[in-house]
Amino acid sequence: MTDTATPTSSADSPRRGPSRWRRALAFVRNTWRGLRSMRTALVLLFLLALAALPGALLPQRQLNAAATAEYIAEHGWWGRLLDRLQFFDVYSSVWFSAIYLLLMVSLVGCLLPRTLEYLRAMRAGPVLTPKNLGRLPHHVRAESDAAPAEIVASARKRLRGWRLVERAEAHGVRTISAEKGYLRETGNLMFHFGMLGLIVAFGLGAMYSYEGQVIVHADGQEFCNSGAYAYDSFDPGLRVDGTELNRFCVRVNDFEADYTDAGQPIAYEADLEYQSGEDLDEGTWRPYHLEVNEPLRTAGDRVYLLGHGYAPTFTVTYPDGDVRTKTIQWRPTDQTTLLSEGATKFDPPGVTDPEKRRENQLAITGLFAPTASFRGEILSSSFPELTDPAVAVDVMRGELGVEAGRSVSIFEIDRSLVDSGRLERVARENLRLGEELTLDDGTTISFDGVREWVSLQGSHDPTQGWVLGFALAMFLGLGASLAIKRRRFWMRITPAREDDDLRRTVVEMGGLARTDQAGYGEEFTAITGDLLHRGLEDGKAR
Amino acid sequence: MAAAGGSTGSGTDPSSVTVLSAKGMTGTVADPPHGARTRAERAGRMGVALIVLGALLHLSALVLRGLATDRAPWGNMYEYIMAICLVTVVAWLVMLRRYPIRHLSAFMLLPVVILMFVGGTMLYAVAAPVQPALQSYWLVIHVAAAAISSGVFLVPGVASLLYLFRAAHERDPAKFARFGPRLPALDVLDRVAYRTTVLAFPIFTFGVLCGAVWAEAAWGRFWGWDPKETVAFIAWVVYAAYLHSRATAGWRGTRAAAINVVGFVVTVFNLFFINLVTVGLHSYAGVG
Ligand code: HEM
């Protein structure tokens, strides 16, 4: 880990000039050295932070495709330019990926030599005592009546837990080199390797994971994770084709939401049964209480409770006595009152002629309110709970376009068919629960009941455990590398000599913090104080 | 703090051990003898006593909020800001005991007062329960870690800003001619900033980590580049850059301080912009 890029020397280039091969090699080597330098890492860190920023400021396609499209439309050429430059897909953009790949290369370049150095340092002992301890940032020089051996003995005791080497110099001079805080480097390496692992696991996770959303009625309806088609929407990673999913099934028996009097939600709970693995063959169902923050974990996957809403039940009685009943989910347009909109669609019964059939399809569209409140004829909802439901419906007759191969949302009708006159409004009315309306041809439509639905998300990510493991390694390593100080301590003990004017033992001690200097002073003071005084007391005890 | 050079008498029995010379040793910062306290000194001490009193009142306000809502008192922006400011003040009081920086308290309290004012007037929310997504013990852990780290990060932010003023003054004494000389030495400011950053950074990392674990349980994925997550990532990278810059030749000192100030700006940006302007999963501010 060098602070600066090593300057390359060209002094040794021979007369005939470097071959192209050699120049290429030098280029690679210099690039590698440059990438390994700390300054490059710093610049890359900054670029990464900068590159991540647009993702917080601009709408992102992956999070909100609708908002993204709207933004682009509103901003004309500027929006299109940003789109071209991948500003709406920042985290999968070429430039973002390039920066973090470079950072990873730089990281590996830092880690390899550093690891080797670390292994070497772990085997080698503390370094020799410097000639001139007075040059060190922490230094004490004292005279004592104690004999050198006593001082060495008490130092050995005081420096327990330090890595220690005693050496002898000429003229009976003894030295001690001590070092502590090797764990700092261990922590630092653990942190950086953890980060490397995290990035790799994160990348793999994006390729091998998927998410799917599905709406299930809370009246015993079942959902099985049998393939992408089982979901209403499915978002797979690059390497997921949506066929071989982990098998599990979920049956939703009940859903309950609790609110404060002000309509603020307090709790969402769904009662489930589920089966996976052997249970599938044996037909065993196990109960689970699904809540926000408490996903169902089964078969290595997770099932989340994302949202809920209402599905009104309509019964259509045709003039010939045929009866059809349907309960289709409508979607909330207002999350606080759960006023919902939707379209419940009917095919005429017993009609085989496709032409005729297409002219007589029915769609009941409009608004649903769990707690109705009318202002004049306008329906709105005053509370999200189901206390006094009502619908305000437009009944449309004609061609719904469901066979045309066009994908029509189940919550809507195809507006273009209305505009072209192929779908016509034949009634508009407000209905409370149990009320009915009659169309011009004698068909009656009644609003018979309301069911609740939940929207579930099935999520699969095989790398999650790895990511967590690496993140923990990072965190622990970070703690160790920031909390532990690597520090050195040296002593030189010169015995009294008759022939000199050295009549007492001279003790010299020096200290050096390998990392941040602040804070070592206190410890150094404590150690030297202890040594000088303990040495003295030991001496007296004799 | 460091007694440089010179011989200091030490020990109880000078006939046995004589200290000939010492440097880089740490003793306690000597208080001037009682009678010799200047008026400024007395005023300074009274100021600190007032800060302590304020912090105690602040703490009781937070505790009462917790009792009133029957949950951790950091469930919306008003409460969160209140918690952050308390942390900042406590962290500052701790630093005051270790470094001769008491006269900087006004600079430190300025952002606290502004934040408290904004929180109390514009973002006030009445005591109420939180929505289902927030009913988790992770609210206690994740948000507490975020509040503690953000609160502590305010201290190095201000210290680094003052570092930049002082450094500019030292380069050119005409700049900030009155203000510059009153600031502590560069190495004191640097040490205050480093010590607090090194404390806050792992807590912040822990907070982000807990946030990811919570997101896995609440939103179905541990990381999804939600605006708040993104800006937390940016802040994390900036502070990591700060730590690296202190180990890089040519980046120590002024540049490191500038990076720390950027980190501070990103933290404040995350608090206000992401909660109030953009809409994301984290928009739980409880404002309006
Ligand atoms: C996303 C990228 C990175 C992040 C978030 C990161 C984060 C960190 C953190 C938090 C520390 C602890 C700071 C300390 O010990 O004072 C650290 C230390 C260190 N990192 Fe990184 N790092 C990253 C990439 C790199 C790279 C690419 C290199 C090599 C060029 C590198 C080299 C070092 C070194 C040498 C230290 C020890 C500094 C010291 O002794 O104070 N890091 N890193």
mmCIF file of all heavy atoms in Angstrom, chain A residues 1 36-38 41 45 103 106-107 110 114 184 188 191-192 195 478 481-482, chain B residues 194 201 236 240 243-244 247, ligand 1:
data_model
loop_
_atom_site.group_PDB
_atom_site.id
_atom_site.type_symbol
_atom_site.label_atom_id
_atom_site.label_comp_id
_atom_site.label_asym_id
_atom_site.label_seq_id
_atom_site.Cartn_x
_atom_site.Cartn_y
_atom_site.Cartn_z
ATOM 1 N N MET A 1 0.830 -1.182 0.000
ATOM 2 C CA MET A 1 0.000 0.000 0.000
ATOM 3 C C MET A 1 0.869 1.239 0.000
ATOM 4 O O MET A 1 1.370 1.656 1.024
ATOM 5 C CB MET A 1 -0.811 -0.033 1.259
ATOM 6 C CG MET A 1 -2.061 0.672 1.124
ATOM 7 S SD MET A 1 -3.504 -0.213 0.748
ATOM 8 C CE MET A 1 -3.232 -1.851 0.894
ATOM 9 N N ARG A 36 -3.126 1.057 -7.929
ATOM 10 C CA ARG A 36 -2.890 0.607 -6.567
ATOM 11 C C ARG A 36 -2.651 1.761 -5.613
ATOM 12 O O ARG A 36 -2.685 1.566 -4.406
ATOM 13 C CB ARG A 36 -1.654 -0.299 -6.548
ATOM 14 C CG ARG A 36 -1.973 -1.733 -6.743
ATOM 15 C CD ARG A 36 -0.694 -2.508 -6.750
ATOM 16 N NE ARG A 36 0.152 -2.110 -5.627
ATOM 17 C CZ ARG A 36 1.429 -2.420 -5.520
ATOM 18 N NH1 ARG A 36 2.006 -3.114 -6.458
ATOM 19 N NH2 ARG A 36 2.116 -2.048 -4.479
ATOM 20 N N SER A 37 -2.380 2.911 -6.157
ATOM 21 C CA SER A 37 -2.003 3.991 -5.252
ATOM 22 C C SER A 37 -3.226 4.489 -4.505
ATOM 23 O O SER A 37 -4.351 4.448 -4.979
ATOM 24 C CB SER A 37 -1.363 5.142 -6.031
ATOM 25 O OG SER A 37 -2.337 6.086 -6.365
ATOM 26 N N MET A 38 -2.982 4.935 -3.325
ATOM 27 C CA MET A 38 -4.043 5.379 -2.447
ATOM 28 C C MET A 38 -4.753 6.590 -3.032
ATOM 29 O O MET A 38 -5.949 6.769 -2.858
ATOM 30 C CB MET A 38 -3.399 5.731 -1.114
ATOM 31 C CG MET A 38 -4.360 5.951 -0.042
ATOM 32 S SD MET A 38 -4.863 4.390 0.657
ATOM 33 C CE MET A 38 -5.396 4.998 2.220
ATOM 34 N N ALA A 41 -7.289 5.507 -5.364
ATOM 35 C CA ALA A 41 -8.442 4.964 -4.637
ATOM 36 C C ALA A 41 -9.323 6.100 -4.135
ATOM 37 O O ALA A 41 -10.548 6.041 -4.225
ATOM 38 C CB ALA A 41 -7.969 4.104 -3.475
ATOM 39 N N LEU A 45 -13.107 6.784 -5.074
ATOM 40 C CA LEU A 45 -14.149 6.861 -4.048
ATOM 41 C C LEU A 45 -15.030 8.081 -4.284
ATOM 42 O O LEU A 45 -16.251 8.021 -4.208
ATOM 43 C CB LEU A 45 -13.520 6.938 -2.653
ATOM 44 C CG LEU A 45 -13.130 5.622 -1.998
ATOM 45 C CD1 LEU A 45 -12.424 5.872 -0.681
ATOM 46 C CD2 LEU A 45 -14.346 4.756 -1.764
ATOM 47 N N LEU A 103 -12.556 0.550 -8.958
ATOM 48 C CA LEU A 103 -12.309 0.592 -7.523
ATOM 49 C C LEU A 103 -11.998 -0.805 -6.999
ATOM 50 O O LEU A 103 -11.139 -0.995 -6.135
ATOM 51 C CB LEU A 103 -13.527 1.181 -6.807
ATOM 52 C CG LEU A 103 -13.291 1.639 -5.388
ATOM 53 C CD1 LEU A 103 -12.277 2.756 -5.353
ATOM 54 C CD2 LEU A 103 -14.581 2.114 -4.755
ATOM 55 N N SER A 106 -8.522 -1.655 -7.975
ATOM 56 C CA SER A 106 -7.633 -0.905 -7.096
ATOM 57 C C SER A 106 -7.578 -1.553 -5.716
ATOM 58 O O SER A 106 -6.515 -1.684 -5.107
ATOM 59 C CB SER A 106 -8.153 0.532 -7.010
ATOM 60 O OG SER A 106 -7.712 1.158 -5.863
ATOM 61 N N LEU A 107 -8.702 -2.001 -5.264
ATOM 62 C CA LEU A 107 -8.784 -2.642 -3.953
ATOM 63 C C LEU A 107 -7.960 -3.929 -3.928
ATOM 64 O O LEU A 107 -7.183 -4.168 -2.995
ATOM 65 C CB LEU A 107 -10.252 -2.925 -3.658
ATOM 66 C CG LEU A 107 -10.674 -3.315 -2.263
ATOM 67 C CD1 LEU A 107 -10.202 -2.274 -1.286
ATOM 68 C CD2 LEU A 107 -12.190 -3.426 -2.197
ATOM 69 N N CYS A 110 -4.414 -3.166 -3.818
ATOM 70 C CA CYS A 110 -3.959 -2.757 -2.492
ATOM 71 C C CYS A 110 -3.838 -3.958 -1.581
ATOM 72 O O CYS A 110 -2.926 -4.069 -0.778
ATOM 73 C CB CYS A 110 -4.982 -1.816 -1.854
ATOM 74 S SG CYS A 110 -4.910 -0.165 -2.475
ATOM 75 N N ARG A 114 -0.500 -5.935 0.522
ATOM 76 C CA ARG A 114 -0.696 -5.666 1.937
ATOM 77 C C ARG A 114 -0.856 -6.961 2.730
ATOM 78 O O ARG A 114 -0.397 -7.072 3.859
ATOM 79 C CB ARG A 114 -1.932 -4.796 2.097
ATOM 80 C CG ARG A 114 -1.897 -4.082 3.406
ATOM 81 C CD ARG A 114 -2.932 -3.018 3.490
ATOM 82 N NE ARG A 114 -3.021 -2.587 4.868
ATOM 83 C CZ ARG A 114 -3.100 -1.331 5.249
ATOM 84 N NH1 ARG A 114 -3.094 -0.388 4.354
ATOM 85 N NH2 ARG A 114 -3.189 -1.029 6.518
ATOM 86 N N ARG A 184 -5.136 -4.572 14.635
ATOM 87 C CA ARG A 184 -5.603 -3.475 13.811
ATOM 88 C C ARG A 184 -5.487 -3.825 12.331
ATOM 89 O O ARG A 184 -6.431 -3.667 11.559
ATOM 90 C CB ARG A 184 -4.794 -2.218 14.098
ATOM 91 C CG ARG A 184 -5.239 -1.057 13.251
ATOM 92 C CD ARG A 184 -4.244 0.057 13.234
ATOM 93 N NE ARG A 184 -4.603 0.993 12.190
ATOM 94 C CZ ARG A 184 -5.369 2.051 12.387
ATOM 95 N NH1 ARG A 184 -5.821 2.316 13.576
ATOM 96 N NH2 ARG A 184 -5.679 2.841 11.386
ATOM 97 N N ASN A 188 -8.237 -4.397 9.570
ATOM 98 C CA ASN A 188 -8.242 -3.626 8.329
ATOM 99 C C ASN A 188 -8.377 -4.539 7.111
ATOM 100 O O ASN A 188 -9.172 -4.287 6.208
ATOM 101 C CB ASN A 188 -6.963 -2.812 8.250
ATOM 102 C CG ASN A 188 -7.066 -1.704 7.235
ATOM 103 O OD1 ASN A 188 -7.256 -1.994 6.056
ATOM 104 N ND2 ASN A 188 -6.972 -0.466 7.675
ATOM 105 N N PHE A 191 -11.792 -5.985 6.941
ATOM 106 C CA PHE A 191 -12.722 -4.990 6.420
ATOM 107 C C PHE A 191 -12.673 -4.947 4.892
ATOM 108 O O PHE A 191 -13.688 -5.031 4.216
ATOM 109 C CB PHE A 191 -12.389 -3.612 6.993
ATOM 110 C CG PHE A 191 -13.152 -2.508 6.344
ATOM 111 C CD1 PHE A 191 -14.445 -2.239 6.733
ATOM 112 C CD2 PHE A 191 -12.586 -1.748 5.333
ATOM 113 C CE1 PHE A 191 -15.169 -1.239 6.129
ATOM 114 C CE2 PHE A 191 -13.305 -0.748 4.718
ATOM 115 C CZ PHE A 191 -14.591 -0.492 5.117
ATOM 116 N N HIS A 192 -11.470 -4.827 4.362
ATOM 117 C CA HIS A 192 -11.368 -4.662 2.903
ATOM 118 C C HIS A 192 -11.742 -5.927 2.150
ATOM 119 O O HIS A 192 -12.389 -5.863 1.104
ATOM 120 C CB HIS A 192 -9.974 -4.169 2.528
ATOM 121 C CG HIS A 192 -9.771 -2.717 2.831
ATOM 122 N ND1 HIS A 192 -9.290 -2.270 4.035
ATOM 123 C CD2 HIS A 192 -10.032 -1.608 2.102
ATOM 124 C CE1 HIS A 192 -9.242 -0.945 4.021
ATOM 125 N NE2 HIS A 192 -9.690 -0.520 2.864
ATOM 126 N N MET A 195 -15.420 -6.186 2.145
ATOM 127 C CA MET A 195 -16.030 -5.298 1.165
ATOM 128 C C MET A 195 -15.975 -5.908 -0.231
ATOM 129 O O MET A 195 -16.942 -5.870 -0.997
ATOM 130 C CB MET A 195 -15.316 -3.955 1.182
ATOM 131 C CG MET A 195 -16.040 -2.900 0.403
ATOM 132 S SD MET A 195 -15.477 -1.293 0.895
ATOM 133 C CE MET A 195 -13.768 -1.432 0.504
ATOM 134 N N LEU A 478 -13.871 -3.208 10.615
ATOM 135 C CA LEU A 478 -13.822 -1.749 10.739
ATOM 136 C C LEU A 478 -13.642 -1.344 12.197
ATOM 137 O O LEU A 478 -12.800 -0.510 12.528
ATOM 138 C CB LEU A 478 -15.116 -1.158 10.193
ATOM 139 C CG LEU A 478 -15.244 0.353 10.284
ATOM 140 C CD1 LEU A 478 -14.244 0.991 9.352
ATOM 141 C CD2 LEU A 478 -16.652 0.789 9.941
ATOM 142 N N SER A 481 -10.147 -2.024 13.232
ATOM 143 C CA SER A 481 -9.108 -1.180 12.632
ATOM 144 C C SER A 481 -9.211 0.268 13.097
ATOM 145 O O SER A 481 -8.241 1.009 13.037
ATOM 146 C CB SER A 481 -9.139 -1.287 11.110
ATOM 147 O OG SER A 481 -10.050 -0.382 10.577
ATOM 148 N N LEU A 482 -10.382 0.665 13.568
ATOM 149 C CA LEU A 482 -10.480 2.040 14.051
ATOM 150 C C LEU A 482 -10.228 2.146 15.555
ATOM 151 O O LEU A 482 -9.769 3.167 16.049
ATOM 152 C CB LEU A 482 -11.853 2.632 13.714
ATOM 153 C CG LEU A 482 -12.097 2.919 12.239
ATOM 154 C CD1 LEU A 482 -13.460 3.525 12.021
ATOM 155 C CD2 LEU A 482 -11.033 3.839 11.678
ATOM 156 N N TYR B 194 -11.049 14.170 13.823
ATOM 157 C CA TYR B 194 -10.721 12.769 13.584
ATOM 158 C C TYR B 194 -11.329 11.874 14.663
ATOM 159 O O TYR B 194 -11.960 10.863 14.370
ATOM 160 C CB TYR B 194 -9.207 12.575 13.537
ATOM 161 C CG TYR B 194 -8.810 11.130 13.333
ATOM 162 C CD1 TYR B 194 -9.059 10.502 12.113
ATOM 163 C CD2 TYR B 194 -8.218 10.389 14.346
ATOM 164 C CE1 TYR B 194 -8.722 9.176 11.916
ATOM 165 C CE2 TYR B 194 -7.879 9.063 14.160
ATOM 166 C CZ TYR B 194 -8.131 8.457 12.949
ATOM 167 O OH TYR B 194 -7.805 7.142 12.749
ATOM 168 N N PHE B 201 -18.257 6.941 12.549
ATOM 169 C CA PHE B 201 -18.275 6.161 11.313
ATOM 170 C C PHE B 201 -18.702 4.704 11.525
ATOM 171 O O PHE B 201 -19.569 4.208 10.794
ATOM 172 C CB PHE B 201 -16.910 6.253 10.618
ATOM 173 C CG PHE B 201 -16.880 5.623 9.260
ATOM 174 C CD1 PHE B 201 -17.615 6.158 8.209
ATOM 175 C CD2 PHE B 201 -16.116 4.499 9.025
ATOM 176 C CE1 PHE B 201 -17.591 5.570 6.957
ATOM 177 C CE2 PHE B 201 -16.084 3.914 7.768
ATOM 178 C CZ PHE B 201 -16.832 4.444 6.733
ATOM 179 N N TRP B 236 -21.465 7.548 3.357
ATOM 180 C CA TRP B 236 -20.523 6.524 3.830
ATOM 181 C C TRP B 236 -19.229 6.566 3.014
ATOM 182 O O TRP B 236 -18.134 6.552 3.572
ATOM 183 C CB TRP B 236 -21.180 5.142 3.729
ATOM 184 C CG TRP B 236 -20.453 4.086 4.475
ATOM 185 C CD1 TRP B 236 -20.553 3.827 5.813
ATOM 186 C CD2 TRP B 236 -19.500 3.156 3.956
ATOM 187 N NE1 TRP B 236 -19.725 2.781 6.142
ATOM 188 C CE2 TRP B 236 -19.060 2.356 5.036
ATOM 189 C CE3 TRP B 236 -18.972 2.920 2.686
ATOM 190 C CZ2 TRP B 236 -18.128 1.336 4.890
ATOM 191 C CZ3 TRP B 236 -18.047 1.905 2.536
ATOM 192 C CH2 TRP B 236 -17.637 1.132 3.624
ATOM 193 N N ALA B 240 -15.504 7.485 4.316
ATOM 194 C CA ALA B 240 -14.409 6.536 4.068
ATOM 195 C C ALA B 240 -13.268 7.269 3.370
ATOM 196 O O ALA B 240 -12.091 7.075 3.686
ATOM 197 C CB ALA B 240 -14.903 5.362 3.232
ATOM 198 N N LEU B 243 -11.272 9.197 5.879
ATOM 199 C CA LEU B 243 -10.327 8.379 6.637
ATOM 200 C C LEU B 243 -9.113 8.022 5.776
ATOM 201 O O LEU B 243 -7.981 8.026 6.246
ATOM 202 C CB LEU B 243 -11.008 7.111 7.146
ATOM 203 C CG LEU B 243 -12.097 7.358 8.189
ATOM 204 C CD1 LEU B 243 -12.780 6.064 8.590
ATOM 205 C CD2 LEU B 243 -11.512 8.041 9.419
ATOM 206 N N HIS B 244 -9.361 7.724 4.500
ATOM 207 C CA HIS B 244 -8.238 7.409 3.615
ATOM 208 C C HIS B 244 -7.361 8.621 3.373
ATOM 209 O O HIS B 244 -6.154 8.509 3.261
ATOM 210 C CB HIS B 244 -8.747 6.883 2.273
ATOM 211 C CG HIS B 244 -9.166 5.457 2.327
ATOM 212 N ND1 HIS B 244 -10.415 5.070 2.716
ATOM 213 C CD2 HIS B 244 -8.486 4.321 2.073
ATOM 214 C CE1 HIS B 244 -10.491 3.759 2.683
ATOM 215 N NE2 HIS B 244 -9.338 3.273 2.307
ATOM 216 N N ALA B 247 -4.472 9.255 5.502
ATOM 217 C CA ALA B 247 -3.323 8.371 5.368
ATOM 218 C C ALA B 247 -2.644 8.566 4.021
ATOM 219 O O ALA B 247 -1.839 7.750 3.599
ATOM 220 C CB ALA B 247 -3.772 6.921 5.535
HETATM 221 C C1 HEM C 1 -15.354 1.460 -1.547
HETATM 222 C C2 HEM C 1 -14.068 1.505 -1.311
HETATM 223 C C3 HEM C 1 -13.397 1.621 0.059
HETATM 224 C C4 HEM C 1 -13.947 1.908 1.271
HETATM 225 C C5 HEM C 1 -15.395 2.225 1.570
HETATM 226 C C6 HEM C 1 -12.885 1.845 2.227
HETATM 227 C C7 HEM C 1 -13.036 2.101 3.579
HETATM 228 C C8 HEM C 1 -11.992 2.104 4.488
HETATM 229 C C9 HEM C 1 -12.114 2.394 5.869
HETATM 230 C C10 HEM C 1 -13.431 2.734 6.560
HETATM 231 C C11 HEM C 1 -10.882 2.299 6.435
HETATM 232 C C12 HEM C 1 -10.510 2.501 7.887
HETATM 233 C C13 HEM C 1 -9.812 3.793 7.980
HETATM 234 C C14 HEM C 1 -8.705 3.794 8.990
HETATM 235 O O1 HEM C 1 -8.143 2.748 9.307
HETATM 236 O O2 HEM C 1 -8.350 4.895 9.459
HETATM 237 C C15 HEM C 1 -9.970 1.983 5.412
HETATM 238 C C16 HEM C 1 -8.607 1.870 5.585
HETATM 239 C C17 HEM C 1 -7.718 1.690 4.558
HETATM 240 N N1 HEM C 1 -8.008 1.481 3.231
HETATM 241 FE FE1 HEM C 1 -9.829 1.463 2.426
HETATM 242 N N2 HEM C 1 -11.725 1.524 1.576
HETATM 243 C C18 HEM C 1 -11.994 1.391 0.257
HETATM 244 C C19 HEM C 1 -11.113 1.118 -0.750
HETATM 245 C C20 HEM C 1 -9.741 1.095 -0.583
HETATM 246 C C21 HEM C 1 -8.810 0.976 -1.634
HETATM 247 C C22 HEM C 1 -9.204 0.843 -3.119
HETATM 248 C C23 HEM C 1 -7.572 1.006 -1.088
HETATM 249 C C24 HEM C 1 -6.238 0.915 -1.784
HETATM 250 C C25 HEM C 1 -5.860 1.691 -2.718
HETATM 251 C C26 HEM C 1 -7.735 1.158 0.313
HETATM 252 C C27 HEM C 1 -6.689 1.249 1.212
HETATM 253 C C28 HEM C 1 -6.838 1.416 2.559
HETATM 254 C C29 HEM C 1 -5.750 1.588 3.471
HETATM 255 C C30 HEM C 1 -4.290 1.602 3.125
HETATM 256 C C31 HEM C 1 -6.305 1.744 4.726
HETATM 257 C C32 HEM C 1 -5.565 1.961 6.022
HETATM 258 C C33 HEM C 1 -5.466 3.422 6.279
HETATM 259 C C34 HEM C 1 -4.879 3.665 7.606
HETATM 260 O O3 HEM C 1 -3.958 2.924 7.970
HETATM 261 O O4 HEM C 1 -5.356 4.592 8.264
HETATM 262 N N3 HEM C 1 -9.056 1.211 0.582
HETATM 263 N N4 HEM C 1 -10.663 1.856 4.219
#
